[in-house]
Amino acid sequence: MDCRTAQSLINSYIEKKMTIEQLEQFLKHVKNCPSCYDELETYFIVYYAMKRLDDKEGSFNMSKLLQEDMKKRRRQVLCYRIQEMILIILILITASIVVMELLQMLGIILF
């Protein structure tokens, strides 16, 4: 992902309107691009500071909140990828069982 694309996705990140694929690429880019990270941090601070103006409790360390949010979203991507792999494994196991049954029915494999 290039900087222009990453910067165009900042609002989508903040509003949690990204696909898992976009989120994964965005997080990788922002992690390695100080310029885009600074841009994200600026938007994040403005967005969440305005939401918390009336909130007398909670942290106002916006940099820390952004880091926590990014960590949470990385876990979200990881969980999605793990679920995806489990589904693929289950499909492969099911397909293997079906193939084995078909081969046995045709007399190619005897158990």
Side-chain angles (χ1 to χ4, degrees):
M1 176 175 291
D2 62 13
C3 291
R4 176 177 251 171
T5 303
Q7 289 174 4
S8 73
L9 290 171
I10 288 174
N11 283 330
S12 296
Y13 174 85
I14 290 172
E15 295 170 0
K16 298 177 182 174
K17 294 182 178 179
M18 288 183 158
T19 65
I20 289 294
E21 289 76 18
Q22 287 175 321
L23 180 59
E24 185 174 31
Q25 291 176 10
F26 180 81
L27 290 170
K28 283 180 187 175
H29 179 83
V30 170
K31 180 179 180 181
N32 297 309
C33 180
S35 175
C36 288
Y37 178 84
D38 289 344
E39 187 83 10
L40 171 62
E41 186 175 41
T42 300
Y43 278 83
F44 187 89
I45 287 169
V46 169
Y47 182 83
Y48 283 98
M50 291 183 69
K51 286 186 98 173
R52 292 178 175 250
L53 281 176
D54 295 329
D55 186 13
K56 297 186 193 278
E57 294 181 22
S59 173
F60 277 87
N61 183 342
M62 293 299 161
S63 293
K64 182 179 177 186
L65 289 174
L66 175 57
Q67 289 298 318
E68 290 170 1
D69 187 69
M70 290 176 68
K71 187 176 180 180
K72 177 181 167 187
R73 306 254 191 126
R74 282 188 198 101
R75 280 193 305 265
Q76 178 185 4
V77 168
L78 180 60
C79 287
Y80 179 84
R81 293 296 177 211
I82 290 170
Q83 290 171 351
E84 196 174 55
M85 291 303 291
I86 290 170
L87 181 60
I88 289 169
I89 290 168
L90 290 174
I91 290 170
L92 290 174
I93 290 170
T94 304
S96 297
I97 291 169
V98 169
V99 168
M100 295 294 278
E101 290 292 323
L102 285 172
L103 292 174
Q104 189 175 12
M105 284 173 50
L106 295 171
I108 297 171
I109 296 179
L110 301 172
F111 288 142

